[in-house]
Amino acid sequence: MHRLFLTLSRVMAILGGFVLSILILIVCLSIIGRSANSFLHTDVAQSLFPGLAQWLIDAGVGAIRGDFELVEAGMAFSIFAFLPLTQVTVGHATVDIFTSWMPERALRILRALIEVLFAVVLIVIAVQLFSGMQSKIRSGQTTLLLQFPVWWAYAGSVLGAGVAAVVAVYMALARVAEATTGRSIVTDELGAEH
Amino acid sequence: AQEVTLRLHQFLPAQANVPQLVLDVWADNVEEASGGRIEVERYAAMALGGTPPELMDQAIDGIADVVWTVVGYTPGRFPTTEVFELPFMVEDARAASSAYWQMFETHMKDGEFADVHMLGTWVHGPGLFHTDTPVESPADLEGMKIRGGSRLVNQLLELLGAEPVGMPVPAVSEALSKGVINGTTIPWEVTTSLRVSELVDNHTEFEGPALYNLTFVLAMNKDTYEGLPDDLKQVIDDNSGLEFSIFAGGTQADADGPARQIAVDNGNNIITISEEDADEWRAIAEPIYESWIADMDARGIDGQALIDEARALMDAYDG
Amino acid sequence: MSNLEIGIYSFPALLILIFLRVPIGLAMFTTGFVGLWLVQGTADIALARLKSETYTTFSNYSLSIVPMFLLMGHFATLGGMSQALFKAAEGWLGHRKGGVAMAAVGACGGFGAICGSSLATAATMGRVALPELRQYGYAGGFSTATLAAGGTLGILIPPSVVLVIYAILAEQNIAKLFLAAIIPGIMAAIGYMIAISIYVRIYPERAGVRDRVPYAERFRALGAVWPVLLVFVAVVGGIYGGIFTPTEGAAVGALGTGLIAWANGGLNRSTLFESFTVTARSTAMIFFIVLGAAFYNGFLALTQVPQEMSAWVVDQGFSPWTVLIIILCFYLIFGCVMDSLSMILLTVPIFFPVISILDFGLVDLIAMQHEAAREALATVTDLAPEMRAQIEAAIAAGAEITRDMQRALDIRVTSGMANALAEERTAIWFGILVLIVVEVGLITPPVGMNLFIINALDRTTSMLETYKAVLFFVASDLIRVAILVAFPAITLFLLV
Ligand code: NA
Ligand code: NA
C-alpha cells in the first residue's frame, strides 16, 4: 500500500520535473530569440545581410511570445505535482525539539492528529481550487498576451492538488493506524537522500 | 458610532496619485457623510493578499468590500469596456468617463458587471510612448521592445512593428534602466512614481484622440452593499455614479500636467504628433477596430453600435 | 476581542502549534485561516480566498527561481563540480595545519556560487569532503562542524533562495541583493578558515597532516573548476548586468549545469529522475511554507498588527540601532529552534516596515549634491563666473547646493531622491544582515538543519561533539555580524 502511494507521488514529481525542464528550455530559447532579434536589428546585421536579417525577423525570430505566462502556468502545475511526494515522504519542515521528550505512544497520537489536519487542509485546498477553476471557466478570463483561458492553467493545478489531497488522506489513515495498532507503516524512504 | 467597516483594496502604493487624489477622497467623503458610521479601511499595494488580476474576484467573493482595479487585468471578462480602450478613440478623460458610466448603466450593469455593485467607472488621461530613441513615425518603432498595458495595446504594438512585452507596472523602471525594454506605454501621471522621465529621453504624444486608454472600475461587493441600512446605502449612492466617475477620470487626467512638467524641466524631447500626421498611425490601427468588432460579434454584441454610441456620448459631453 | 487582539494572540497560538511539531507551513496556514474566520465572523471569506490564492502563490514568476536553483545545484553535483572544487582547494590548502578543513570550506564557498540552498550545499560537500577529512585524521566533531558551517555558504554566497524570498517580501531588487551578498559571503568563508586555524592551534591533535601536492597537479585541479566559474559568471553576472531577469538567470544556470553534467556523463535517465524527485521534495516543502506565510500575513494585515507595531516602535523613540540589534538578537534566539526560510517568511512582513522607516544615516544628501556638482563643474563650460564661485564656496563650506545652483549646473539631487536611495540601502543592508543571522540558526544547537544533515553522514561522531566544535564557527559568524552592523559600507560597497 505504502509503495503504491510512494510510486504515485514519484510519478507526479517526475511529471512536474519534466514540466519544470520544459519551462527552463522555453525561457532559454526566449533569451536566445530575443538576443538574435536585437542583433538582426543592429546596423551591422542590416548592412551585411539585409535580406536575410529581415527575412529572419519576419519569420518570427525573437523572444517567445508570452514566455512569462507559460512559466507562471507551468510552475503552478509543477509545484502542485511536487506536493504529494513531500507529503508521503514526511518532507515538511518541522520543529522537533520540544516533542522529543514525549513517549512514543503520545508521539504517535500527535502525528496522527497532525496528519489528519493536513489532510483536511489539502482537501479544502483542492476543493476550493476546483471551485476557483469553475469560476474562471464561467468568467471566460484569458491571459494578457497569449490569451489562452486562465482555467486551463487552473486545471493542471487541480490535478496536482487532487493527488496531493488523496495522498494526504492515505497518510492520515496510515498515521491513525500506526497510533491505534502501534505498527510502523510510513517509512522515511527518501529521507536519507536529503 | 461606527457600524460598518469597508475594506478598500487596491494594487498601488498608498502615496500614488489615484489612491491619494481619488480613492482617499472618496473614502473620506463616505466616512464624513455617514457621520462616522462607516469606516473605510484602506489596504494599498495588495496588502490583503492575491495579485492585481484577482481584485475583481475579491470584490465578488467578499474578500474585500471595495476594490479599485484595471479592467484590462482580466482580459476576456468584460469585453464591452474595451470600447474605451480602442486606439485613437478617447480624447478627453472626463467625456469618456461620463460616457463609460452611461454605457455601464445601459449595457453592463445587469450583464458583465452583474456580480458587483458598481461605484465608479473611468479612464485615465491619454496614453503615450516613453522611449529610449525618438519615435516620430510608426517606422521608428520597428523592432523596439515596448511594454504594453492591455490586450489592445499589445495588438497595436504588433501592428506597428514593435515587440510587445508584458510586465506589471512596478517592473517598468527596472526594465527600462537595464534596457530590457526600449520603452513603455503609460499616461504621464504614472511616470512620476516610476521616474520614467529620468530613465528615457523621448516621449511621443498625440494631438486629438489618444494612442490608447485603460478603463478602471471602483466596485463593491453586492452583499455588503445590500446589507447596509437604507440611510447608509444612500451615503454610498450619493458618492458614486456618474458624477464620481467624471471626478475620478478628470482628477487622474489632471495629474498628467505636473508629471509632464517634470519631463519638460528635465530637458527631455517631447514629440507631438499632429492630428494630420496621426492619420498614418490611425490607418495602421484600423484593423484593430475590425477585429474587435468581429470579436464582439462572435460574443453576440454589436461592436460597431458600441463604438458609435461611445463616440456620440463623448461628443455630447459638455462638462 | 478586537481585531488587533486577535492578531496579537495569534503569535503564541502559532508558536504552540509549531512547537507541537505541526509542520511550519501548515501551522501558519491554520492560524491564518482560523484568524481570518475570527476577524470576519465567517469562514466563507477565508474559503473564498483559497479559490485563487494557492494558484497565484505557486505561479508567482519570481518564485519560480526557487526550483530552478535547486535543480541547478543538483545538476552541478552530477556534473562532478563539487568533487572538482574540493580537489582544487585541497591541492592548494591541504598540506597546511587544518588545511583539508579549510579546503572543505573553500569548496563549499565555490559550490555556494552555483547552488542556491544551504542544505543542498551541506549535503553535497559533506558527501565529498567528509570521507577525506576522516582519512587524514581530522576529529569527528571538528569535521562535521566544519562542513555544517561551510554549508551555510550555499546561501550566504549568491545565488541564494533565501535572498530571493526576502527580495519578494520586501519588494527589493534581487540582482542588487545578490551583489550586496558577495563581500559578506567571502568574509564568511575567510572567517570560517580563521576559526579552523584557531581550532587546530588549541587542539593540534584533532587534525592530521597531508602531503604537499606538486604545483603541476595543483594547476591541473584548478583548471578543472572552470565550469563552476563559467556558470557563476553567466548567472550572477548576467542577472546583474541586465542581460536577463533573475528567473531567466536561474533557467540559464539550470540548463548550463544540466548540459555540463550530461557532457561529463553524470546525467542519465535515473539520475535525472532522482534530480526531479529531490528538487520536488524541497520545492514543495518551501512553497507550502510560502503559502502558509501568505495566508498568515494576509490575516495579520487585516488585524493591523504590523502597522500598529511600527507605529509603536516610532512612538517609543528608540534609536534605530537599538531596534536593529533587538531584531537581530531575536533572529539569533529563534534560529536556535527554527528554520531560516520560515523565520524570514514569518517575520519580514512584520519587521521590514519597522526597519524601513528608520534612519541609519546611510545616505548623505549634501555629499551626494557635492559629488554631482563637482562632476558638473568639471564639464559645464557656459557657467557664469559668479555662479561658479558661489557653488565652489558652497562645496568648500559643506553647505547645500541650492535649487538655483543645481539648475545652473543642469543636475538634480533632491531630498526625495536621497530618501529613496536611503530606503533602498537600508532594505538591502538589513536583508543581508537577516540572511546571515538566520543562517547562523542552521548551525546553532540544538536545532540546526546543517548539523543534522552532516552528522547523519558520520555514524561514529556524536551530536554533542559536533555541537562543541561548531561553537568556533558560530563565534566567527557573530563577529562578522557585528562588523557588518558597525560598517554598513562593507555590504553596500559593490552597489555604489
Ligand atoms: Na549560493
Ligand atoms: Na539552530
Side-chain angles (χ1 to χ4, degrees):
Chain A
M1 192 67 160
H2 192 70
R3 282 235 72 90
L4 174 74
F5 281 96
L6 191 62
T7 308
L8 173 66
S9 307
R10 287 183 74 103
V11 168
M12 286 301 285
I14 289 168
L15 212 58
F18 270 116
V19 171
L20 175 63
S21 309
I22 292 169
L23 299 179
I24 288 171
L25 285 178
I26 289 177
V27 171
C28 292
L29 285 175
S30 194
I31 299 169
I32 293 170
R34 186 174 73 199
S35 320
N37 183 285
S38 301
F39 172 71
L40 293 172
H41 276 102
T42 56
D43 296 340
V44 182
Q46 291 285 352
S47 58
L48 280 180
F49 40 92
L52 179 65
Q54 198 52 49
W55 182 80
L56 286 170
I57 292 167
D58 293 340
V61 170
I64 292 177
R65 205 169 142 70
D67 53 347
F68 188 91
E69 292 168 1
L70 292 173
V71 168
E72 289 192 332
M75 198 55 68
F77 168 78
S78 288
I79 308 294
F80 273 112
F82 290 163
L83 209 50
L85 188 69
T86 309
Q87 208 63 31
V88 81
T89 57
V90 203
H92 289 286
T94 54
V95 172
D96 295 345
I97 176 107
F98 297 95
T99 45
S100 50
W101 51 268
M102 278 189 171
E104 182 58 26
R105 176 142 180 78
L107 260 180
R108 280 171 186 267
I109 293 174
L110 188 59
R111 256 190 227 129
L113 287 174
I114 291 168
E115 216 66 55
V116 168
L117 173 66
F118 221 144
V120 170
V121 165
L122 285 175
I123 291 171
V124 170
I125 285 177
V127 168
Q128 290 306 101
L129 190 66
F130 182 74
S131 125
M133 178 185 79
Q134 286 177 314
S135 80
K136 299 291 177 204
I137 295 176
R138 271 198 307 276
S139 73
Q141 186 174 328
T142 67
T143 65
L144 199 61
L145 280 170
L146 295 175
Q147 299 191 30
F148 66 81
V150 171
W151 76 263
W152 291 1
Y154 271 69
S157 298
V158 167
L159 174 70
V163 177
V166 169
V167 169
V169 169
Y170 156 73
M171 284 295 284
L173 293 175
R175 290 299 197 195
V176 170
E178 282 182 342
T180 48
T181 65
R183 226 156 36 93
S184 257
I185 299 170
V186 177
T187 48
D188 189 5
E189 290 210 26
L190 274 177
E193 271 178 32
H194 201 76
Chain B
Q2 173 217 330
E3 289 168 22
V4 180
T5 306
L6 297 181
R7 287 153 310 174
L8 193 165
H9 199 200
Q10 52 86 19
F11 59 96
L12 285 184
Q15 62 276 12
N17 281 328
V18 173
Q20 249 187 6
L21 303 176
V22 178
L23 302 180
D24 277 349
V25 172
W26 178 85
D28 291 344
N29 287 346
V30 165
E31 285 177 349
E32 202 187 300
S34 72
R37 289 166 60 205
I38 296 180
E39 190 198 344
V40 183
E41 282 179 359
R42 298 147 212 207
Y43 295 94
M46 301 308 297
L48 290 181
T51 56
E54 298 301 320
L55 280 166
M56 192 55 90
D57 283 328
Q58 292 189 343
I60 293 171
D61 292 332
I63 295 166
D65 299 303
V66 180
V67 302
W68 172 63
T69 187
V70 177
V71 180
Y73 283 162
T74 49
R77 280 181 72 166
F78 310 105
T80 310
T81 61
E82 284 183 347
V83 69
F84 295 102
E85 298 187 355
L86 286 164
F88 305 107
M89 179 75 187
V90 171
E91 185 161 357
D92 176 65
R94 286 187 173 81
S97 301
S98 160
Y100 182 9
W101 179 264
Q102 295 174 60
M103 287 176 68
F104 157 73
E105 291 209 301
T106 50
H107 299 292
M108 308 173 222
K109 191 174 182 180
D110 303 315
E112 291 159 20
F113 288 117
D115 293 335
V116 288
H117 178 79
M118 193 61 76
L119 303 172
T121 59
W122 69 91
V123 304
H124 64 47
L128 65 152
F129 290 113
H130 311 266
T131 51
D132 54 4
T133 54
V135 172
E136 284 168 352
S137 72
D140 295 332
L141 278 165
E142 175 68 35
M144 286 174 85
K145 295 177 199 55
I146 309 280
R147 180 254 174 201
S150 78
R151 193 175 83 89
L152 294 177
V153 175
N154 287 331
Q155 284 184 14
L156 175 64
L157 289 169
E158 236 169 41
L159 288 173
L160 290 166
E163 188 184 319
V165 179
M167 64 174 65
V169 171
V172 166
S173 313
E174 173 80 26
L176 277 177
S177 68
K178 291 263 175 81
V180 171
I181 53 175
N182 303 108
T184 180
T185 56
I186 40 170
W188 278 115
E189 168 255 314
V190 186
T191 61
T192 323
S193 57
L194 298 181
R195 296 204 242 155
V196 168
S197 296
E198 293 169 35
L199 296 169
V200 298
D201 291 333
N202 303 284
H203 313 266
T204 304
E205 51 186 20
F206 292 81
E207 261 179 11
L211 177 68
Y212 80 100
N213 277 81
L214 291 186
T215 53
F216 302 95
V217 290
L218 185 69
M220 187 168 178
N221 175 265
K222 254 199 141 130
D223 293 338
T224 308
Y225 176 77
E226 297 298 341
L228 293 175
D230 283 344
D231 54 338
L232 291 185
K233 264 188 200 152
Q234 192 59 48
V235 169
I236 299 289
D237 293 347
D238 292 345
N239 284 285
S240 58
L242 181 64
E243 205 179 319
F244 169 68
S245 300
I246 297 170
F247 158 78
T251 306
Q252 199 171 347
D254 290 347
D256 284 342
R260 189 179 185 278
Q261 193 56 42
I262 293 175
V264 173
D265 289 347
N266 214 28
N268 286 8
N269 174 24
I270 298 181
I271 299 157
T272 307
I273 311 276
S274 68
E275 281 218 61
E276 307 90 80
D277 290 348
D279 281 343
E280 186 190 353
W281 295 78
R282 274 196 288 267
I284 294 173
E286 197 49 42
I288 294 180
Y289 279 76
E290 286 158 24
S291 67
W292 187 76
I293 291 168
D295 190 21
M296 290 295 114
D297 279 345
R299 295 169 183 270
I301 303 170
D302 185 348
Q304 187 60 51
L306 288 176
I307 294 174
D308 296 341
E309 186 179 351
R311 287 212 166 115
L313 285 169
M314 287 192 286
D315 286 343
Y317 178 79
D318 59 354
Chain C
M1 236 185 334
S2 74
N3 287 354
L4 190 64
E5 282 170 320
I6 296 174
I8 292 168
Y9 291 138
S10 75
F11 290 122
L14 176 62
L15 280 184
I16 288 170
L17 284 181
I18 289 175
F19 291 163
L20 275 176
R21 233 186 140 275
V22 176
I24 295 166
L26 181 65
M28 285 198 259
F29 183 91
T30 311
T31 313
F33 190 93
V34 174
L36 281 171
W37 189 338
L38 289 175
V39 167
Q40 294 167 327
T42 162
D44 291 352
I45 297 175
L47 283 172
R49 288 179 69 135
L50 279 179
K51 292 202 318 197
S52 61
E53 197 154 330
T54 51
Y55 175 80
T56 52
T57 306
F58 291 174
S59 66
N60 181 315
Y61 182 74
S62 303
L63 274 179
S64 62
I65 297 177
V66 172
M68 292 182 187
F69 275 158
L70 294 178
L71 196 61
M72 168 167 139
H74 207 82
F75 284 161
T77 308
L78 292 177
M81 293 191 203
S82 45
Q83 199 76 41
L85 277 165
F86 183 62
K87 281 287 155 219
E90 207 187 15
W92 289 90
L93 296 168
H95 56 280
R96 292 161 188 271
K97 192 76 189 153
V100 183
M102 290 178 188
V105 166
C108 283
F111 196 70
I114 50 169
C115 176
S117 140
S118 276
L119 305 188
T121 304
T124 306
M125 294 315 300
R127 244 173 257 140
V128 173
L130 195 58
E132 300 244 351
L133 281 163
R134 305 293 278 142
Q135 185 194 330
Y136 289 110
Y138 284 70
F142 179 37
S143 305
T144 50
T146 299
L147 287 164
T152 65
L153 297 173
I155 283 284
L156 296 174
I157 291 176
S160 158
V161 166
V162 174
L163 268 189
V164 170
I165 305 268
Y166 174 83
I168 294 169
L169 289 172
E171 294 176 347
Q172 295 300 314
N173 182 319
I174 294 175
K176 286 186 184 170
L177 277 161
F178 278 3
L179 199 68
I182 290 179
I183 292 180
I186 293 172
M187 283 171 68
I190 295 172
Y192 291 156
M193 291 190 191
I194 294 173
I196 289 168
S197 68
I198 293 173
Y199 189 90
V200 294
R201 207 154 287 189
I202 299 174
Y203 306 105
E205 76 286 0
R206 296 195 187 168
V209 218
R210 192 189 184 288
D211 290 338
R212 238 168 221 289
V213 175
Y215 275 93
E217 203 173 306
R218 290 187 197 186
F219 280 108
R220 205 177 312 130
L222 197 60
V225 302
W226 67 266
V228 177
L229 203 64
L230 184 75
V231 171
F232 176 75
V233 169
V235 174
V236 175
I239 292 172
Y240 192 72
I243 301 169
F244 29 70
T245 65
T247 301
E248 289 172 346
V252 168
L255 182 67
T257 48
L259 289 176
I260 291 169
W262 179 67
N264 289 353
L267 196 61
N268 53 40
R269 202 177 72 173
S270 108
T271 55
L272 180 68
F273 283 7
E274 196 202 319
S275 312
F276 287 165
T277 49
V278 173
T279 302
R281 202 162 173 263
S282 324
T283 302
M285 184 262 274
I286 292 172
F287 274 74
F288 203 80
I289 299 173
V290 171
L291 175 70
F295 225 69
Y296 182 68
N297 290 326
F299 148 71
L300 270 191
L302 261 183
T303 64
Q304 312 262 347
V305 164
Q307 296 94 312
E308 294 288 333
M309 192 151 141
S310 38
W312 182 82
V313 170
V314 171
D315 285 348
Q316 302 304 304
F318 296 131
S319 102
W321 299 94
T322 313
V323 177
L324 177 69
I325 288 166
I326 289 173
I327 289 178
L328 294 180
C329 289
F330 169 91
Y331 278 115
L332 287 171
I333 293 166
F334 265 71
C336 291
V337 294
M338 268 192 59
D339 121 274
S340 54
L341 201 67
S342 313
M343 274 203 292
I344 294 256
L345 281 160
L346 188 59
T347 57
V348 165
I350 301 165
F351 290 155
F352 182 69
V354 176
I355 285 291
S356 65
I357 50 171
L358 298 176
D359 179 15
F360 291 91
L362 298 183
V363 171
D364 183 348
L365 173 63
I366 303 286
M368 270 171 73
Q369 289 181 340
H370 288 182
E371 196 186 326
R374 251 184 246 118
E375 235 170 70
L377 279 176
T379 52
V380 172
T381 47
D382 56 344
L383 194 62
E386 221 169 80
M387 181 54 96
R388 182 176 286 269
Q390 264 183 32
I391 294 169
E392 275 164 357
I395 293 177
E400 192 201 350
I401 307 294
T402 62
R403 197 65 219 273
D404 283 343
M405 298 180 191
Q406 294 195 27
R407 218 167 276 145
L409 290 170
D410 197 22
I411 58 171
R412 226 168 128 252
V413 185
T414 61
S415 59
M417 287 161 73
N419 287 342
L421 188 63
E423 248 173 60
E424 182 189 75
R425 286 188 182 171
T426 308
I428 288 175
W429 175 56
F430 180 65
I432 301 299
L433 292 175
V434 168
L435 176 77
I436 298 171
V437 289
V438 297
E439 284 308 292
V440 177
L442 288 176
I443 56 167
T444 46
V447 180
M449 281 312 291
N450 279 14
L451 298 174
F452 295 163
I453 285 174
I454 302 293
N455 204 259
L457 295 176
D458 183 0
R459 303 284 176 201
T460 61
T461 302
S462 77
M463 206 62 219
L464 193 64
E465 287 173 65
T466 306
Y467 283 165
K468 278 185 194 158
V470 87
L471 294 178
F472 282 78
F473 297 95
V474 174
S476 133
D477 279 333
L478 296 181
I479 292 168
R480 177 162 34 94
V481 171
I483 293 172
L484 293 174
V485 168
F487 305 103
I490 299 175
T491 308
L492 300 170
F493 179 73
L494 287 180
L495 293 176
V496 185

